[in-house]
Structures are given as C-alpha cells and as structure tokens.
Amino acid sequence: RAQQLGRNRIEWYDSDLEEQLVRRMDLERELPGAAMRGEFDLVYQPVLGLHDKRPVGTEALVRWRSPSLGTVLPAELVPVAEDLGLIDELGQWVLHKACRQLAEWSRGGRQLWMSVNVSVTELTGSEFVGRVAAALTIHQVEPDRLLIEIAEPSGEVDIMGVVGQLGRLRALGVRTALDDFGLGPASLAHLRRMPVDILKINRSLVSDPSGWQGQGKPVIDVVVSLGRRLGMEIVAEGLESADQVEQARLAGCRFGQGFVLARPATAERVEAYLEEFPSPSR
Ligand code: C2E
Ligand code: MG
Ligand code: MG
Ligand code: MG
C-alpha cells in the first residue's frame, strides 16, 4: 500500500511538472505579438489615506487577456517576458497606458497619483529614464504624479545601479517607491541608501495574524519608524480586514491599499468608485 501511495505520488508530481512545462511553452508561444494584438490590459487599485479613507492614488497592475490562455497575472507574465527579452516592450506599454489614464483623470480634476511597477531589469536598462521622461512629455503628466515602484532588490542585484536610476528618476521630479518591503533578505542594510519617497510594507508583514498582535508588532513598528526617519511615507499593502486597516493606521502608516479598502478594477469601475468621493469644495 505504501508502495502504491509512493508510486501515485510520483505520478502526481510528474503530471504536475508536465503541466507546468506545457503551460510555460504556451506562454512563450503566445507572448510575442500579444502587445501588437492588443491583449495587454491595466487594472487600477486605489490607494487611500488611512486617516480619512479617501483615495490619493491608484496603482496600475498589468493583466494579459489572452484569448487562448485566459487572464494571465503578472506573477506568471513578468518572468516569461523577462526570459524572452520582452520586458521592455511590456513595460513601455504599461507606462504609456498608465500615463494616458493619469492624464485623463487629472484633466477630470482628480488629484491622484499613479503607481507603475517596474522590475529591476527594466529599471536598470540604459534607456529607462529617458523613456519615462518621454512618456511624461507625450501625455503631459506632472512628474510628481507618477510613482515608480520597484520590488525590493535582493542579493544579486546591482544595488548601486538601482540607486543611480532611482536618483535620476527623482531628478525628473518623479516619485519612487520600494515595493514589497519586508520580503527580501537585505532589507534594512539597503534601505538607508535607497532614494525612495515611499515604502510599501508587504502583505506578509501586514496580514500575518501574529504580525500585528504578537511578536511581529515590534518589527512593523521598527520598519515604520525607520522609514519615516529616512523621510519616507509608508503604504501598508494587502489590507484585508478593518482590523488590519486600523492597526496599520495606529502603527503610523499614512496610506493603505488592500481588498478591504478597494480591489483592483477597470478604469471605468475605478471612475465610478471615485465618484463617491467628491473633491473638497473650493
Ligand atoms: P505589487 O506591486 O505588490 O501589487 C500588489 C499585488 O497584490 C497585486 O497583485 C494586487 O492585486 C494584490 N493585492 C492588492 N490588495 C490585496 C489584498 O488585500 N490581498 C491580497 N491577497 N492581494 C492583494 P497582482 O496584480 O497579481 O500583481 C502582483 C505583482 O506583480 C505586483 O505586486 C507587482 O510586483 C507585479 N506587477 C504588477 N503589474 C506589473 C507591471 O505592469 N510590470 C511589472 N514589472 N510588474 C508588475
Ligand atoms: Mg506595486
Ligand atoms: Mg507590493
Ligand atoms: Mg506584491
């Protein structure tokens, strides 16, 4: 019986691996040309001030609507795009689409910022800063309305390269954010050197139940106070309950984002959501 179980388990692993490989091949076959076929899409997740629960910005999150593969999420899409050398093409599409949307909302009288996620590969490309400058000009976006988010660089990354590029972005007037802070191994060591305006505390720190109440609470307090002492604003990401929202606010996070506040949605749905928050009358 044990032998049979063991054999089944091996078969299960095999078919699982096979499925992954087939999926990967499907993605690699379909991705080139996806941009030309107009299959990329952006959804936007509102970011709220935790003191008044009003939207201050949105984060653009890419979706690949593939007719044959369904909706592909960035966790799957981005690594494949990187491996195929298509990350710059994807990133350019995202940047322009997000800036165009930002310009439209700004013209409508909305004082929002727009976050765009970039991978370290994109950021450290020699043409990246010039492309951001061009997008700002083309779409007539105020630089400080654009926020470039980079995932926390891990070990092998060229930290000084990242630091240099972030500095150049800031010189354009663009704001910068360190995303998913708290996941990487070298967080605290690098934080001091990072020219970033905003620190986004990852869901794993925020939503771990032991995180706020138990032993994790001091960790969050340290991260928040360190970030603030370095002149950064703090965004708590991945807030999924009213309790977490309140804890994040009490811990000193100025902004928050998460399913309990607002889910990522299409531009039209975000507009409808924003309608619920009339601009303060003059
Ligand atoms: P991120 O920048 O940290 O974005 C937040 C992710 O968490 C999003 O997933 C969002 O849908 C999800 N999320 C938001 N609130 C909650 C919550 O309350 N609970 C939970 N469980 N999840 C929540 P998504 O859209 O799948 O994006 C995943 C990651 O992919 C992003 O993490 C970002 O690092 C990357 N990404 C997204 N769009 C792009 C892009 O255009 N370019 C690049 N290079 N990376 C992107
Ligand atoms: Mg992000
Ligand atoms: Mg994040
Ligand atoms: Mg994340």
Side-chain angles (χ1 to χ4, degrees), residues 59 61 117 149 179 200 237:
E59 176 169 12
L61 298 162
N117 293 282
E149 299 193 1
D179 208 347
K200 299 189 78 169
E237 303 188 279

PDB file of all heavy atoms in Angstrom, residues 59 61 117 149 179 200 237, ligand 2:
ATOM      1  N   GLU A  59      -2.790  52.301  -8.243  1.00  0.00           N
ATOM      2  CA  GLU A  59      -1.658  51.523  -8.737  1.00  0.00           C
ATOM      3  C   GLU A  59      -2.095  50.755  -9.976  1.00  0.00           C
ATOM      4  O   GLU A  59      -3.101  50.046  -9.952  1.00  0.00           O
ATOM      5  CB  GLU A  59      -1.177  50.536  -7.666  1.00  0.00           C
ATOM      6  CG  GLU A  59      -0.056  49.624  -8.177  1.00  0.00           C
ATOM      7  CD  GLU A  59       0.620  48.813  -7.095  1.00  0.00           C
ATOM      8  OE1 GLU A  59       0.094  48.752  -5.960  1.00  0.00           O
ATOM      9  OE2 GLU A  59       1.682  48.232  -7.387  1.00  0.00           O
ATOM     10  N   LEU A  61      -1.876  47.792 -12.474  1.00  0.00           N
ATOM     11  CA  LEU A  61      -1.456  46.384 -12.399  1.00  0.00           C
ATOM     12  C   LEU A  61      -1.774  45.725 -13.736  1.00  0.00           C
ATOM     13  O   LEU A  61      -2.915  45.758 -14.204  1.00  0.00           O
ATOM     14  CB  LEU A  61      -2.202  45.679 -11.261  1.00  0.00           C
ATOM     15  CG  LEU A  61      -1.925  46.250  -9.856  1.00  0.00           C
ATOM     16  CD1 LEU A  61      -3.003  45.805  -8.869  1.00  0.00           C
ATOM     17  CD2 LEU A  61      -0.535  45.817  -9.366  1.00  0.00           C
ATOM     18  N   ASN A 117       4.533  49.725 -11.695  1.00  0.00           N
ATOM     19  CA  ASN A 117       5.531  48.759 -11.221  1.00  0.00           C
ATOM     20  C   ASN A 117       6.561  48.496 -12.295  1.00  0.00           C
ATOM     21  O   ASN A 117       6.212  48.287 -13.458  1.00  0.00           O
ATOM     22  CB  ASN A 117       4.854  47.435 -10.873  1.00  0.00           C
ATOM     23  CG  ASN A 117       3.932  47.556  -9.683  1.00  0.00           C
ATOM     24  OD1 ASN A 117       4.382  47.591  -8.539  1.00  0.00           O
ATOM     25  ND2 ASN A 117       2.642  47.659  -9.946  1.00  0.00           N
ATOM     26  N   GLU A 149       7.355  52.163  -8.834  1.00  0.00           N
ATOM     27  CA  GLU A 149       7.549  51.190  -7.747  1.00  0.00           C
ATOM     28  C   GLU A 149       8.502  50.088  -8.185  1.00  0.00           C
ATOM     29  O   GLU A 149       8.296  49.471  -9.224  1.00  0.00           O
ATOM     30  CB  GLU A 149       6.207  50.523  -7.376  1.00  0.00           C
ATOM     31  CG  GLU A 149       5.167  51.496  -6.894  1.00  0.00           C
ATOM     32  CD  GLU A 149       3.977  50.791  -6.238  1.00  0.00           C
ATOM     33  OE1 GLU A 149       3.966  49.541  -6.144  1.00  0.00           O
ATOM     34  OE2 GLU A 149       3.062  51.517  -5.816  1.00  0.00           O
ATOM     35  N   ASP A 179       8.737  48.635  -3.231  1.00  0.00           N
ATOM     36  CA  ASP A 179       7.557  47.779  -3.128  1.00  0.00           C
ATOM     37  C   ASP A 179       7.888  46.548  -2.286  1.00  0.00           C
ATOM     38  O   ASP A 179       9.047  46.149  -2.195  1.00  0.00           O
ATOM     39  CB  ASP A 179       7.186  47.332  -4.550  1.00  0.00           C
ATOM     40  CG  ASP A 179       5.709  47.036  -4.700  1.00  0.00           C
ATOM     41  OD1 ASP A 179       5.010  46.930  -3.678  1.00  0.00           O
ATOM     42  OD2 ASP A 179       5.268  46.922  -5.856  1.00  0.00           O
ATOM     43  N   LYS A 200       6.546  50.653   0.726  1.00  0.00           N
ATOM     44  CA  LYS A 200       5.324  49.861   0.769  1.00  0.00           C
ATOM     45  C   LYS A 200       5.591  48.585   1.547  1.00  0.00           C
ATOM     46  O   LYS A 200       6.431  47.775   1.157  1.00  0.00           O
ATOM     47  CB  LYS A 200       4.846  49.535  -0.654  1.00  0.00           C
ATOM     48  CG  LYS A 200       4.535  50.791  -1.445  1.00  0.00           C
ATOM     49  CD  LYS A 200       3.867  50.483  -2.766  1.00  0.00           C
ATOM     50  CE  LYS A 200       2.403  50.167  -2.611  1.00  0.00           C
ATOM     51  NZ  LYS A 200       1.703  50.123  -3.917  1.00  0.00           N
ATOM     52  N   GLU A 237       0.345  47.540   2.426  1.00  0.00           N
ATOM     53  CA  GLU A 237      -0.286  46.835   1.298  1.00  0.00           C
ATOM     54  C   GLU A 237      -1.013  45.598   1.786  1.00  0.00           C
ATOM     55  O   GLU A 237      -0.650  45.015   2.804  1.00  0.00           O
ATOM     56  CB  GLU A 237       0.753  46.241   0.349  1.00  0.00           C
ATOM     57  CG  GLU A 237       1.751  47.074  -0.272  1.00  0.00           C
ATOM     58  CD  GLU A 237       2.497  46.218  -1.313  1.00  0.00           C
ATOM     59  OE1 GLU A 237       3.409  45.458  -0.957  1.00  0.00           O
ATOM     60  OE2 GLU A 237       2.127  46.326  -2.477  1.00  0.00           O
TER      61      GLU A 237
HETATM   62 MG    MG B   2       3.450  47.659  -6.593  1.00  0.00          MG
END
